[in-house]
Amino acid sequence: MQKTFDQMLSEAGATRIVDTDTTPHTIIPCNVVLEPNTHQGITRVRVTARDKDFNLLWGVNMSEGLMP
């Protein structure tokens, strides 16, 4: 069963994810980028994670209905 990084941290008693063995998970240094995005008159925020060369790792469009 796979575990989240939070679960691995709490079991290991570590305070930083790099202090634990996360195999086969891989830690990728990245930047979280917030970009305004308006589509069909609805203002959204596009949230993306990008690597050190700003290549896209993942992204999501957040609208008001998705925010807590």
Side-chain angles (χ1 to χ4, degrees):
M1 179 175 172
Q2 292 197 357
K3 298 178 183 175
T4 65
F5 283 124
D6 289 339
Q7 290 169 328
M8 289 187 287
L9 279 174
S10 65
E11 287 179 1
T15 57
R16 299 179 318 149
I17 193 66
V18 295
D19 293 337
T20 65
D21 178 14
T22 57
T23 307
H25 303 284
T26 303
I27 298 172
I28 302 172
C30 67
N31 299 294
V32 174
V33 180
L34 304 175
E35 305 167 86
N37 181 6
T38 302
H39 181 68
Q40 295 180 346
I42 299 171
T43 301
R44 298 182 173 119
V45 176
R46 179 159 172 77
V47 182
T48 58
R50 298 185 179 265
D51 67 10
K52 62 183 171 81
D53 298 320
F54 274 82
N55 295 315
L56 181 66
L57 299 172
W58 59 262
V60 64
N61 281 316
M62 297 293 294
S63 62
E64 192 173 316
L66 295 172
M67 294 183 207

